[in-house]
Structures are given as C-alpha cells and as structure tokens.
Amino acid sequence: MGELVSIDIAAMQAETVVLWMSEVASSVSAESDHLTQLDAAIGDGDHGVNMDRGFTAVGKALAGQGDSVPPGQLLIIAGKTLVSTVGGASGPLWGTALRRAGRALGKAPEFDGGALVEALEAAIEGVRELGAAAPGDKTMVDALVPACETLRTAIESGVDLASALAAAAEAAERGAEATIPMQARKGRASYLGERSVGHQDPGATSSALIVRALERAVTQEA
Ligand code: ADP
Ligand code: MG
C-alpha cells in the first residue's frame, strides 16, 4: 500500500536551488539557438549566448559551495555570478532577481510554497526597479508576473507545490506567447518601435524556461 501514497512536496532546500539552476543551465543551453533567433529579430542576437554563458557559470559557482549553505545564500551567489558573467541586459536583470529572491529567503534551511511566492515577488520587484518595465512592455516581466500570480493563487488555495508550479510554468509560457502582438517599450527591442510587433520577446521566453525548470527541480527531488 505504501507505494500508492502520493508524495506531497511541502518544502524546498538548498538541493532544490542547485537542481533548479542546473535545470535552467540545461534548458537555456538546449534552447540557446532559439533564444538567439528571437533576439536577432528584435534585438542584437545574443540572448541565447548570454543566458547559456551565465547559467553555466552559475552551475560552476554553486558546485563549489558546501552542504551547509542555505538556499537563499545560494540564490544570492547565483545572482552575483550572473551580474559578473553576462554583459547584456539579462545579466543584471536576472542577477538582481535571484539576489532579491535569495534575500527574501534569508538564512532559513528550508522554504515552503508561501515563502517561494514571497521570493518570486521580491525578484520581480527588483527587476521592475532596475528596468522600469511594466506588464505589457514586452519584456521578461510579461512572463514572470502571470507566473507569480498563478503560483500565489494556487498555493493560497491549497494546491500542492508541484501542481502549483506546473500551473505557474504554463502561465509563464502563455505570458511569453502573449508578447508577440506587443510593441516593445523597454530594452533594445524598443528602438524598433512598431517593427517589434509580431515577434516573441526573448527574455520572456527564457523566463518561462526558468519557471519550468523550477517545476522540474521540485518534482525530480520528490
Ligand atoms: P541585451 O538586450 O542587452 O542584448 P539580452 O539580449 O540578453 O540583453 O536580453 C534581452 C531581454 O532582456 C529582452 O528580451 C527583455 O525581456 C529583457 N529586458 C530588456 N530590457 C528590460 C527592462 N528594462 N526591463 C525588463 N526586461 C528587460
Ligand atoms: Mg540581446
């Protein structure tokens, strides 16, 4: 009978963060050409290379950390690594996001779904302070905001973490697709004005990969 009991994942730990970052690295590496193509259409064609370089460096930085480093601290290290290895806008933006998320988690050895929501909200706040993008501006914010709102609603209504993250990842993917008809108002793509319409935003696309990677990290650990 024991094997029929469904596993209810309630808490995430340092290992979850390490696994998340390694899932992001594999995913942005596999999608690097696609991300670069999207960026070639409305930017300078380096987004895949930027994300790949950054998250490969994050993987190396985290591999050197001891077992007792709390998850929040690991996210801060990941964020600092992105800032120092990625030249494009996505480096400081994701660097800030992960550092803010890490700071929100503090020194606790574990965090639950509620704390994850708080951390993601802090991350988005950091991105919006730095880049001044609002929803609808055709940026990573358009994937992250719906993902975070969906996650909050799911967690607050008692949905298990894995399902809540699956819903959040889907919301991020839909949010990235919804950038296609938008005109860019922030970042390099905004220089194109109306010509940015009709293309999916590269940063929103990679943001959806990052949320999907978190779902995979959490479900793999169980
Ligand atoms: P760069 O534009 O410097 O070449 P990247 O190509 O790595 O950097 O990243 C581009 C992505 O960064 C965009 O698709 C967009 O999602 C995101 N981005 C750019 N500027 C902003 C901003 N001000 N606020 C939020 N996101 C932004
Ligand atoms: Mg670019």
Side-chain angles (χ1 to χ4, degrees), residues 34 37-43 136-138 176-185 189 192-202 205:
H34 178 226
Q37 277 164 25
L38 293 174
D39 195 34
I42 56 168
D137 285 350
K138 197 179 181 101
E177 285 161 16
T179 64
I180 296 174
M182 293 175 187
Q183 179 172 331
R185 283 193 289 256
L192 289 181
E194 282 177 8
R195 280 184 293 141
S196 64
V197 172
H199 303 277
Q200 186 164 319
D201 180 63
T205 308

Side-chain angles (χ1 to χ4, degrees), residues 135-171:
D137 285 350
K138 197 179 181 101
T139 70
M140 52 195 278
V141 168
D142 292 307
L144 294 176
V145 166
C148 194
E149 280 171 357
T150 300
L151 186 68
R152 175 180 276 284
T153 306
I155 297 283
E156 282 178 358
S157 57
V159 172
D160 70 279
L161 188 57
S163 310
L165 279 169
E170 204 168 312

Side-chain angles (χ1 to χ4, degrees), residues 39 44-47 50 188:
D39 195 34
D44 57 354
D46 64 354
H47 189 60
N50 284 342
R188 233 176 252 286

Side-chain angles (χ1 to χ4, degrees), residues 12-18 20-21 58 62 65-81 94-112 115-116 118-120 122-123:
M12 293 157 280
Q13 297 87 9
E15 300 80 68
T16 319
V17 170
V18 173
W20 179 23
M21 292 296 112
V58 166
L62 295 193
Q65 301 303 315
D67 289 342
S68 58
V69 183
Q73 189 58 38
L74 292 176
L75 285 172
I76 291 172
I77 294 165
K80 286 184 177 162
T81 305
W94 268 109
T96 300
L98 295 185
R99 280 190 329 227
R100 291 289 184 94
R103 244 160 60 190
L105 294 180
K107 298 217 159 69
E110 297 197 330
F111 57 106
D112 63 7
L116 175 64
E118 302 283 315
L120 288 181

